[in-house]
Amino acid sequence: SSQLERGLVVAAGRRSWTSAVASHRGDPLPPAMSARLDQQGPMRSVTEYIKTPHQQAAARLEKNSQTRQQQAAKKYFRQAEAQGIADLFRQRVEKAMQEDCEEWTVAAYEGDLVRKGLLKVRINDSDFVHLHLQRPIRGEAWICRYAPWKTDEDQLEDIEEEYEALPERGRCGDRMDLSGCTTLEGCALM
């Protein structure tokens, strides 16, 4: 049995596993497959690699071939996208910090801004808030963590433990007076 297994492994090194098993059982291989195996060796499966050195080089070449106007437009729209995401969390961060921010401008960002994002947001002349954003599935709500009172020199960290959990959104009663509400659930507006 072990000699048979060794023979199949050796045969599999030269041909596909199915052809090795077929030849062991005495089943004839189709002529086209047999000729292909003799010429090319083992069959390879088609795979796609992400971020191979070749793809990285192609991306650099593409970036270098873009005009300055194209690069500026791309940077502008990515900055606007990062700012739009940061704006979603301003009220919650201000409430968690118990402070109104004078300014709320994204100074730096990392990540794809689709499933992950790291944002450095300027809140006044000298202070920043870092936001760590993740989405388990594209299209779902962001999970946000924050690190308050950072300086310009502080680098964005991709370590979740370096951030505090941002409290979930409050109910409508947190933002307006609902004393006139008549429903038992507490909100007639929704």
Side-chain angles (χ1 to χ4, degrees), residues 2-54:
S2 63
Q3 189 175 24
L4 171 65
E5 290 171 359
R6 270 188 270 133
L8 289 175
V9 170
V10 170
R14 285 176 272 162
R15 302 179 290 199
S16 71
W17 180 255
T18 51
S19 66
V21 171
S23 66
H24 171 69
R25 289 192 313 207
D27 298 339
L29 287 174
M33 187 178 218
S34 178
R36 184 189 175 286
L37 289 174
D38 293 338
Q39 292 172 357
Q40 296 179 340
M43 292 189 304
R44 305 262 182 214
S45 64
V46 178
T47 59
E48 183 175 333
Y49 294 100
I50 298 173
K51 295 294 182 190
T52 62
H54 175 53

Side-chain angles (χ1 to χ4, degrees), residues 101-164:
C101 300
E102 297 173 20
E103 190 177 343
W104 190 262
T105 307
V106 174
Y109 59 90
E110 295 176 13
D112 61 10
L113 303 178
V114 175
R115 294 198 54 197
K116 187 164 193 167
L118 298 171
L119 308 177
K120 179 184 253 188
V121 182
R122 179 183 299 278
I123 59 172
N124 60 37
D125 292 337
S126 60
D127 295 317
F128 293 81
V129 171
H130 292 188
L131 301 177
H132 182 279
L133 306 161
Q134 284 185 309
R135 280 194 226 203
I137 299 172
R138 184 178 180 180
E140 289 206 4
W142 288 102
I143 297 169
C144 182
R145 299 177 69 79
Y146 76 110
W149 310 117
K150 296 289 188 172
T151 64
D152 192 25
E153 291 81 31
D154 292 326
Q155 298 294 315
L156 287 167
E157 296 288 331
D158 193 12
I159 303 168
E160 195 172 328
E161 291 77 27
E162 297 288 323
Y163 297 84
E164 300 175 32

Side-chain angles (χ1 to χ4, degrees), residues 63-112:
K63 184 179 179 185
N64 291 338
S65 68
Q66 291 178 347
T67 65
R68 286 189 178 153
Q69 291 86 2
Q70 289 172 324
Q71 290 176 4
K74 193 174 198 177
K75 184 177 179 181
Y76 171 80
F77 286 114
R78 292 271 296 158
Q79 178 72 29
E81 183 180 12
Q83 184 66 51
I85 293 170
D87 290 344
L88 295 173
F89 299 100
R90 181 176 184 163
Q91 288 181 343
R92 288 172 55 194
V93 170
E94 287 177 338
K95 185 175 180 180
M97 293 173 52
Q98 299 176 349
E99 177 116 7
D100 286 335
C101 300
E102 297 173 20
E103 190 177 343
W104 190 262
T105 307
V106 174
Y109 59 90
E110 295 176 13
D112 61 10

Side-chain angles (χ1 to χ4, degrees), residues 91 95 168-183 185-190:
Q91 288 181 343
K95 185 175 180 180
E168 291 297 316
R169 289 184 194 155
R171 295 180 298 176
C172 57
D174 296 340
R175 287 178 262 154
M176 59 182 79
D177 180 22
L178 295 179
S179 59
C181 225
T182 58
T183 64
E185 290 83 32
C187 187
L189 299 174
M190 302 307 268

